[in-house]
């Protein structure tokens, strides 16, 4: 299993090119199951979760032709696709549940493994199932599988989600594209990745209109060939912005529309970062002294993303004073805390709130990754620690960050991947 060795503290300076968004690519790739004609998806990030989704599509019968740099995929579906999404593929990535909606919408049946829980919480799929049922999907759960059927095409309905869910919104939008009639989804998640999904579907002839948290989808008979370039990864960009703020860095972050991380940039300004933005660039300089911020709270977009919570916690550990972070999306997303304590952090957890004492002097140590965003937080902490840190189980990082060590090396981080 690969590990990272980081020799801190490192100063950070230079340019970072942001890759395609993993969380936008996954639903877009799942939605290619709706197509009879070939589809071309560009700007895919070269990360493990994308391989998992491509393997899942292949197992369902899609032919995938990858470009040399593996960032563009041409997806060609067979006439008779399979509808069985196996446990062995779904268990490694919860995003696999996104094939359920398109399989039932297009092929009127599916046997899809239940994804199960993961370290950051129970993560049920009840909202996905309830919405798809309203559209006409009947299902039973047997032996860990969702066995689903519909009598012909799904039917457009009005659905209000009881709670905002990114995945349930995506699954329902994808499924509604080919439904008979109009679907109106209320209380939707409106993350930029979901807008990217609907832009993609509209580019292929779908009829989707947004108004606030309401999404109106007029069903069409079929979708047309399209070529679509996935948006850039706002969590990767946010992570590098935190890195610059944390390490008195000076970075030019390229290839991302700064508007989509406005909330995050405002928060980092409060912490003392100097930020300028251009069309597709962010210039960020970290302060000499980081200011503490009370009551940071993760929220659905346009709030502070839960996927940036662990990174912000490292920042607050270095701030001058006390701060707190409330995690309001996932019930158990503080696994990084125990590892950060091993580097010297002073953090107390009460329910879903972390109380952080600032002015931490991080000292390098051997660390263990637990999930994708927790692992990148450990990398950030190791960059500003005194001495060497070894980070184990970085396969978590490889799920969502494209060769992060290459990008970090370019900006001055002493980092090595080894077995
Ligand atoms: C997506 C992102 C993930 C991000 C999260 C929140 C992808 C591939 N993953 O995950 O990186 O952290 O959004 O921004 O895009 N819930 C239920 N029942 C459901 C669905 C969700 O109770 O049927 C709960 C979840 O357990 C969680 C909350 O709702 O507490 C939000 O989850 P959701 O927005 O669905 O997250 P994901 O789509 O799984």
């Amino acid at each position: 299993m690969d590990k990272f060795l980081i020799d801190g503290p490192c100063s950070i300076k230079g340019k970072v090119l942001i890759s395609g968004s993993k969380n936008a690519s996954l639903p877009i790739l799942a939605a290619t199951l709706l197509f009879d004609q070939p589809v071309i998806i560009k700007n895919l990030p070269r990360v493990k979760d994308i391989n998992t989704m491509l393997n899942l599509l292949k197992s369902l019968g899609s032919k995938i032709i990858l470009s040399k740099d593996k960032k563009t995929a041409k997806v060609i579906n067979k006439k008779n696709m399979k509808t069985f999404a196996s446990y062995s593929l779904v268990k490694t990535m919860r995003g696999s549940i996104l094939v359920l909606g398109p399989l039932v919408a297009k092929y009127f049946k599916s046997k899809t493994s239940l994804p199960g829980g993961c370290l950051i919480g129970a993560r049920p799929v009840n909202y996905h199932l309830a919405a798809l049922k309203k559209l006409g999907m009947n299902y039973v759960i047997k032996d860990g599988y969702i066995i689903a059927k519909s009598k012909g095409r799904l039917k457009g309905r009005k659905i209000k989600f009881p709670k905002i869910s990114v995945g349930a919104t995506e699954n329902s939008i994808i499924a509604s594209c080919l439904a008979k009639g109009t679907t109106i989804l209320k209380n939707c998640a409106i993350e930029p990745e979901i807008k990217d999904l609907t832009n993609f579907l509209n580019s292929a002839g779908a009829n989707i209109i947004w108004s606030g948290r309401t999404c109106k989808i007029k069903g069409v008979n079929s979708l047309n060939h399209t070529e679509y370039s996935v948006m850039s990864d706002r969590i990767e960009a946010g992570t590098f912005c935190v890195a610059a703020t944390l390490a008195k860095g000076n970075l030019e972050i390229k290839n991302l529309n700064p508007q989509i991380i406005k909330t995050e940039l405002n928060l980092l300004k409060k912490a003392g970062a100097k930020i300028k933005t251009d069309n597709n660039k962010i210039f960020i300089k970290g302060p000499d002294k980081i200011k503490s911020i009370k009551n940071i709270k993760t929220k659905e977009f346009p709030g502070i993303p839960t996927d940036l919570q662990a990174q912000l916690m490292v920042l607050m550990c270095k701030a001058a004073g006390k701060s707190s972070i409330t995690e309001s999306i996932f019930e158990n997303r503080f696994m990084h805390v125990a590892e950060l304590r091993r580097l010297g952090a002073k953090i107390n957890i009460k329910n879903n709130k972390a109380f952080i004492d600032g002015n931490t002097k991080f000292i390098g140590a051997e660390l263990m990754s637990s999930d994708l965003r927790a692992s990148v937080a450990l990398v950030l902490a190791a960059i500003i620690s005194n001495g060497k840190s070894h980070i184990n189980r970085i396969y978590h990082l490889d799920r969502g960050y494209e060769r992060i060590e290459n990008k970090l090396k370019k900006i001055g981080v002493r980092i090595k991947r080894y077995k």
Side-chain angles (χ1 to χ4, degrees):
M1 264 188 261
D2 286 9
K3 301 172 189 178
F4 276 153
L5 167 62
I6 297 176
D7 189 4
C10 311
S11 47
I12 291 183
K13 195 172 189 278
K15 295 180 184 174
V16 183
L17 191 68
I18 299 304
S19 300
S21 159
K22 165 182 91 73
N23 284 358
S25 302
L26 290 174
I28 288 174
L29 286 172
T32 63
L33 287 166
L34 297 176
F35 288 70
D36 296 314
Q37 297 182 30
V39 197
I40 295 177
I41 314 292
K42 297 176 177 170
N43 200 34
L44 293 168
R46 284 171 300 179
V47 298
K48 212 152 111 213
D49 276 6
I50 299 301
N51 289 342
T52 306
M53 181 55 89
L54 292 174
N55 286 337
L56 181 55
L57 294 180
K58 277 187 207 162
S59 78
L60 294 166
S62 309
K63 182 174 173 190
I64 312 279
I65 304 170
L66 279 178
S67 61
K68 238 186 188 165
D69 66 3
K70 299 202 168 116
K71 291 190 178 198
T72 299
K74 183 171 187 181
V75 183
I76 307 163
N77 292 329
K78 276 193 197 148
K79 268 238 160 69
N80 295 313
M81 294 282 283
K82 291 181 194 131
T83 53
F84 173 63
S86 76
Y87 174 68
S88 62
L89 281 163
V90 175
K91 74 169 183 208
T92 60
M93 184 183 71
R94 289 186 46 82
S96 312
I97 189 68
L98 294 173
V99 301
L100 176 63
L103 284 176
V104 175
K106 176 79 179 149
Y107 301 101
F108 314 142
K109 62 176 185 174
S110 150
K111 183 175 175 186
T112 299
S113 172
L114 273 169
C118 68
L119 279 173
I120 67 173
R123 298 185 83 176
V125 289
N126 53 325
Y127 304 143
H128 300 238
L129 295 176
L132 293 171
K133 189 170 177 191
K134 281 204 179 135
L135 294 172
M137 177 186 93
N138 295 309
Y139 71 93
V140 289
I141 293 186
K142 212 176 154 213
D143 305 328
Y145 279 86
I146 306 156
I147 301 171
K149 266 190 194 153
S150 75
K151 287 190 190 127
R153 281 171 72 185
L154 295 172
K155 291 185 186 67
R157 287 278 182 271
K158 277 190 187 153
I159 298 168
K160 185 172 180 192
F161 294 108
K163 192 179 158 191
I164 295 170
S165 157
V166 171
T169 302
E170 291 167 343
N171 231 337
S172 309
I173 289 174
I174 299 171
S176 307
C177 275
L178 297 185
K180 271 191 195 158
T182 301
T183 300
I184 295 178
L185 302 172
K186 295 203 157 181
N187 201 27
C188 289
I190 50 166
E191 267 61 7
E193 293 76 15
I194 304 179
K195 298 290 174 77
D196 208 40
L197 168 69
T198 55
N199 288 341
F200 160 67
L201 290 165
N202 281 341
S203 78
N207 190 338
I208 306 170
I209 298 169
W210 284 97
S211 160
R213 288 201 180 272
T214 299
C215 186
K216 187 171 163 189
I217 305 128
K218 277 191 193 161
V220 294
N221 291 334
S222 63
L223 296 172
N224 313 318
H225 164 79
T226 185
E227 272 189 47
Y228 191 80
S229 186
V230 176
M231 65 179 276
S232 299
D233 198 308
R234 69 189 165 105
I235 305 298
E236 187 194 19
T239 302
F240 278 101
C241 286
V242 174
T245 312
L246 187 61
K248 294 183 203 155
N250 188 350
L251 291 183
E252 179 181 332
I253 294 168
K254 301 202 298 187
N255 201 25
L256 181 103
N257 171 8
Q259 291 304 319
I260 62 170
I261 60 165
K262 230 159 97 184
T263 315
E264 294 87 319
L265 294 181
N266 283 337
L267 188 86
L268 295 176
K269 276 183 193 163
K270 264 196 192 170
K274 294 264 179 295
I275 301 173
K276 276 192 201 150
T277 57
D278 205 342
N279 264 346
N280 231 14
K281 277 184 196 161
I282 301 164
F283 301 89
I284 181 162
K285 258 190 192 172
D288 285 333
K289 205 170 174 188
I290 300 162
K291 291 181 201 146
S292 61
I293 303 173
K294 292 241 158 62
N295 295 325
I296 298 176
K297 196 171 180 184
T298 61
K299 262 196 119 1
E300 298 88 4
F301 187 86
I304 295 291
T306 170
D307 287 351
L308 217 54
Q309 180 253 109
Q311 299 90 314
L312 290 170
M313 194 171 294
V314 178
L315 182 67
M316 286 302 103
C317 286
K318 285 300 278 184
K322 290 180 191 299
S323 57
S324 63
I325 303 184
T326 304
E327 170 54 57
S328 44
I329 307 292
F330 292 110
E331 67 266 33
N332 189 21
R333 202 172 202 181
F334 284 138
M335 277 88 51
H336 43 284
V337 170
E339 295 301 297
L340 291 177
R341 283 188 189 130
R342 301 188 61 249
L343 294 172
K346 288 155 281 170
I347 304 168
N348 279 313
I349 304 288
K350 268 193 198 139
N351 304 318
N352 64 338
K353 192 164 179 177
F355 296 87
I356 305 139
D357 274 352
N359 293 312
T360 303
K361 290 196 173 61
F362 284 120
I363 312 278
E366 178 144 7
L367 301 164
M368 188 68 80
S369 302
S370 52
D371 72 77
L372 173 55
R373 308 299 171 187
S375 348
V376 86
L378 300 184
V379 169
L380 295 184
I383 290 174
I384 49 157
S385 293
N386 275 315
K388 291 187 172 139
S389 295
H390 296 261
I391 307 179
N392 293 287
R393 297 200 183 161
I394 54 165
Y395 59 82
H396 289 291
L397 253 162
D398 292 334
R399 284 188 50 196
Y401 286 89
E402 185 175 296
R403 280 277 157 178
I404 191 168
E405 71 270 30
N406 293 353
K407 295 194 185 186
L408 287 171
K409 266 183 207 160
K410 275 196 188 144
I411 56 171
V413 176
R414 289 180 296 277
I415 180 169
K416 202 169 103 185
R417 182 185 283 260
Y418 71 103
K419 299 238 181 239

